[in-house]
Amino acid sequence: MKKVILFWFILLTSIIAVAQEVNNKLKDSLRHVWSNIETPDSTRFKAINTYYVNYTFAEPDSVLLLTDYHYDLAVSKQNSYEKAMAYNEKAYAYYVQGDTKTSMKMLQSSISILEKLDNPIKLATIYSNLGNIYGEEDKYQEAVRYFSKSLKIFQDESIPKGEARMLNNLGNVYLELDNDTLTLNYLHKAIDKYKKVGLEKTTGPALTIIGIVYFNQGLYDKALEQANTSLKLLL
């Protein structure tokens, strides 16, 4: 038995060592790309964003340093979109660290740039991110404001998945505000949108909330119906 345990220990240690080596090589490779002034600007920015995807959640401190470099590079290249993306990633890193106040400031800075550019989908996404934080901070009216801004863009741009997410988010916020009418209105609309794009299986949580609202209203048969439908989708 001891030999088996020793074998697995050695194997796992080797796997971890190899993974760490691969990880370090990826970091070095990406750094080489974004720091090489001979590399096309688009490739340098892509390398920075690839680093974010791989490391922001695990290493927010190092990413915050990179966002400063990212922003300075964007300024030097007069690239407003990348300036906004540097702020956006800085916001995410601060959020991971638990500093929601600074995260919100960074998102506002990103929004102030994007509102002057022609990139509505990215703007809608950041509106939504800010709405999520306001919701976590129990600032529900502000959450409604930014989810509604995001919803309007997704509607204008004919992005049904995004529209469904925002309808769902608004329903959840109105639940916290004890507004049953708007909760049900937005969640039913969200469910309809999800069904139209083939994502009915994602509607389980919304159906559960609808069931809770019906239960609180004393509509027990309707609550049970929603609960059963939700359970089938969640299993």
Side-chain angles (χ1 to χ4, degrees):
M1 185 65 179
K2 290 183 179 179
K3 291 182 178 179
V4 173
I5 295 174
L6 179 60
F7 168 77
W8 283 110
F9 176 78
I10 294 173
L11 179 61
L12 289 172
T13 301
S14 299
I15 291 173
I16 292 171
V18 170
Q20 186 62 49
E21 182 179 356
V22 171
N23 185 52
N24 290 336
K25 285 183 178 180
L26 175 61
K27 286 183 177 179
D28 291 342
S29 176
L30 292 172
R31 287 193 187 97
H32 175 75
V33 173
W34 75 58
S35 61
N36 186 350
I37 61 174
E38 301 299 325
T39 303
D41 295 340
S42 60
T43 304
R44 297 175 72 185
F45 287 125
K46 184 177 180 180
I48 290 171
N49 283 285
T50 298
Y51 190 96
Y52 291 156
V53 170
N54 284 278
Y55 301 112
T56 299
F57 184 78
E59 303 177 14
D61 292 342
S62 66
V63 164
L64 283 173
L65 294 175
L66 179 56
T67 58
D68 291 336
Y69 176 89
H70 184 183
Y71 183 84
D72 290 342
L73 179 62
V75 170
S76 70
K77 302 300 179 180
Q78 298 182 334
N79 191 321
S80 295
Y81 175 79
E82 289 296 338
K83 285 167 59 179
M85 292 304 95
Y87 277 130
N88 184 55
E89 201 65 31
K90 192 181 288 288
Y92 180 37
Y94 277 121
Y95 179 82
V96 172
Q97 291 182 331
D99 186 352
T100 55
K101 184 176 180 179
T102 305
S103 178
M104 293 165 76
K105 288 181 180 179
M106 295 300 103
L107 287 175
Q108 291 283 13
S109 295
S110 182
I111 286 170
S112 68
I113 295 173
L114 286 171
E115 286 180 334
K116 300 173 185 176
L117 304 178
D118 184 23
N119 198 317
I121 304 305
K122 180 58 71 173
L123 179 60
T125 300
I126 296 180
Y127 279 153
S128 175
N129 292 342
L130 188 53
N132 284 328
I133 297 179
Y134 273 124
E136 291 178 11
E137 297 286 304
D138 297 337
K139 297 177 180 178
Y140 299 121
Q141 294 299 340
E142 286 299 303
V144 167
R145 177 187 172 198
Y146 282 98
F147 287 146
S148 297
K149 282 174 172 282
S150 182
L151 173 62
K152 179 64 166 56
I153 293 174
F154 284 129
Q155 289 173 332
D156 291 344
E157 298 296 319
S158 299
I159 310 293
K161 289 182 182 179
E163 187 177 347
R165 288 197 302 272
M166 292 310 104
L167 290 167
N168 194 86
N169 287 348
L170 284 163
N172 291 338
V173 172
Y174 280 114
L175 177 71
E176 298 296 334
L177 290 170
D178 296 321
N179 189 323
D180 290 351
T181 300
L182 289 178
T183 297
L184 295 174
N185 180 42
Y186 279 110
L187 290 180
H188 279 302
K189 287 181 179 179
I191 289 169
D192 288 342
K193 283 291 178 182
Y194 279 128
K195 287 180 178 179
K196 288 179 180 178
V197 295
L199 293 174
E200 184 175 1
K201 287 187 175 297
T202 66
T203 63
L207 288 166
T208 299
I209 292 174
I210 291 172
I212 291 171
V213 172
Y214 285 147
F215 183 86
N216 291 337
Q217 292 177 338
L219 302 173
Y220 303 121
D221 289 342
K222 295 181 73 172
L224 183 59
E225 179 185 353
Q226 298 299 316
N228 287 334
T229 304
S230 174
L231 188 59
K232 291 177 183 178
L233 292 171
L234 293 172
L235 292 178

